[in-house]
């Protein structure tokens, strides 16, 4: 049976509005795809955190830098790719937010939440910044945030 | 829906009724300013009533942590009241449920202050 694929892409400013817009688009698409209410919340929050990462930590709200967000879906997966034009993300410098010494830190939970809520989270450098890919399987068992970081 | 707060006093305890979203931007700023304002006026027994908070992101979580530690550092106490399932789940997976003093009814929250 042929697999139906859909893809839509947006290029957005490095602003708070982009973060809200990304979350809203993810919520609408995940709902249309038939994900459960809990899954929709997980997807929208993961996308929001990824957008915060791109706008704030990647592009630093710079007006000349853009964030691109693409949503792809087929019969088995929802795939969201978010790219920024920042200086890159050093995963080794992100502390474990669950470590007792980090519990009271006021930041550093975004990637942890993405990994908790999505089935696959891939983070890789590109020539112009960082690419973050989030995948949620349709009706698949939650894998508890399997990671495939590079 | 953006974040809104309403402040009231019950037996010497300040209850902050929060509603809406505590997220990066306006929601986090309102939360931060509210707690700082209360502390500056000497209100050091604070309960954040989150019954009407329907969404919180990592920045909002950070703001709750900041409110908790700022209050504690100034000799006060901050408790959380009436968590929605979504907020409760978030505090569980981030292991912050064990850090905060979480109550599910107002009378117990008020009585729990030393």
């Amino acid at each position: 049976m042929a697999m139906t694929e859909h893809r839509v892409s947006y290029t957005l400013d490095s602003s708070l509005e982009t973060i809200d817009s990304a979350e809203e688009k993810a919520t609408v698409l995940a709902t249309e795809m038939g994900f459960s209410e809990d899954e929709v919340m997980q997807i929208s929050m993961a996308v929001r955190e990824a957008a915060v990462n791109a706008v704030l930590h990647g592009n630093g709200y710079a007006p000349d830098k853009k964030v691109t967000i693409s949503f792809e879906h087929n019969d088995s997966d929802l795939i969201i790719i978010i790219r920024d034009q920042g200086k890159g993300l050093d995963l080794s410098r992100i502390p474990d937010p669950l470590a007792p010494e980090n519990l009271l830190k006021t930041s550093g939970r975004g990637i942890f939440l993405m990994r908790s809520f999505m089935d696959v989270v891939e983070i890789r450098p590109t020539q112009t910044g960082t690419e973050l890919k989030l995948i949620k399987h349709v009706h698949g068992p939650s894998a508890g945030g399997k990671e495939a970081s590079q | 829906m953006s974040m809104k707060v309403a402040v009231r006093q019950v037996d010497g305890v300040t209850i902050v009724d929060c509603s809406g979203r505590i997220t990066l931007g306006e929601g986090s700023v309102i939360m931060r300013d509210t707690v700082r304002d209360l502390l500056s006026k000497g209100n050091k027994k604070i309960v954040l009533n989150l019954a009407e908070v329907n969404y919180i992101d990592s920045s909002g979580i950070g703001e709750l942590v900041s409110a908790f530690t700022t209050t504690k550092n100034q000799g006060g106490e901050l408790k959380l009241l009436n968590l929605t399932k979504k907020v409760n789940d978030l505090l569980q997976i981030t292991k912050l449920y064990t850090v905060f003093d979480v109550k599910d009814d107002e009378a117990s929250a008020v009585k729990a202050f030393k």
Side-chain angles (χ1 to χ4, degrees), chain B residues 5-112:
Chain B
V5 294
V7 177
R8 57 194 166 90
Q9 299 291 327
V10 177
D11 295 338
V13 173
T14 304
I15 312 277
V16 183
D17 296 311
C18 309
S19 58
R21 296 161 55 96
I22 311 176
T23 55
L24 179 70
E26 190 186 29
S28 292
V29 171
I30 290 171
M31 171 64 74
R32 191 181 319 151
D33 289 349
T34 301
V35 172
R36 283 183 183 171
D37 186 51
L38 289 172
L39 291 171
S40 72
K41 291 174 179 165
N43 298 295
K44 295 188 175 178
K45 295 176 179 177
I46 300 171
V47 173
L48 298 181
N49 178 11
L50 303 179
E52 301 296 326
V53 172
N54 50 31
Y55 197 98
I56 185 166
D57 66 4
S58 66
S59 299
I61 294 171
E63 220 45 66
L64 291 182
V65 171
S66 175
F68 176 80
T69 54
T70 304
T71 305
K72 197 174 178 184
N73 290 342
Q74 295 193 26
E77 252 185 281
L78 182 141
K79 302 180 192 301
L80 302 183
L81 174 65
N82 293 331
L83 303 186
T84 59
K85 182 181 179 299
K86 285 177 187 172
V87 175
N88 183 76
D89 289 350
L90 272 177
L91 293 190
Q92 293 281 3
I93 65 170
T94 53
K95 290 193 176 176
L96 285 169
Y97 198 87
T98 55
V99 171
F100 290 110
D101 189 2
V102 180
K103 302 292 182 188
D104 54 16
D105 78 273
E106 189 173 308
S108 310
V110 170
K111 201 184 274 185

Side-chain angles (χ1 to χ4, degrees), chain A residues 23 45 48-49 104 106 112, chain B residues 21 56-58 62 65 93:
Chain A
E23 177 198 331
M45 182 167 282
R48 181 178 181 85
E49 296 298 338
L104 288 178
T106 57
F112 167 78
Chain B
R21 296 161 55 96
I56 185 166
D57 66 4
S58 66
V65 171
I93 65 170

